[in-house]
Amino acid sequence: MFLIWVIWGIAQGGGTPEQCRGRTGDDLDICNSASDAGTAIGVGLAIALWAAVDVILGITYGIYRLATRRT
């Protein structure tokens, strides 16, 4: 699920955004750069959330295994 979310986020960031259409020169470059930065931040947040969920699930599984082991 997270992989699909990351791929979708990257795909949405490609091309010229609708807000940048009609701009030329430096305005177009700045608008495209801002869009790329926003895409990078969004994908980075998705990956950070993915890692946080993995850590939480790993700790939860470890606690479960310790609680159910036979002594």
Side-chain angles (χ1 to χ4, degrees):
M1 182 176 89
F2 282 106
L3 183 60
I4 292 170
W5 190 14
V6 168
I7 291 170
W8 178 80
I10 292 170
Q12 293 298 317
T16 301
E18 189 173 322
Q19 297 87 352
C20 297
R21 293 196 176 114
R23 297 176 187 238
T24 58
D26 287 340
D27 286 341
L28 179 61
D29 290 339
I30 291 170
C31 187
N32 281 331
S33 295
S35 175
D36 292 343
T39 299
I41 291 169
V43 170
L45 286 174
I47 292 172
L49 182 62
W50 185 357
V53 167
D54 281 346
V55 168
I56 291 168
L57 287 175
I59 291 171
T60 304
Y61 179 71
I63 291 170
Y64 169 76
R65 293 285 295 184
L66 285 173
T68 58
R69 72 179 177 167
R70 293 184 182 176
T71 56

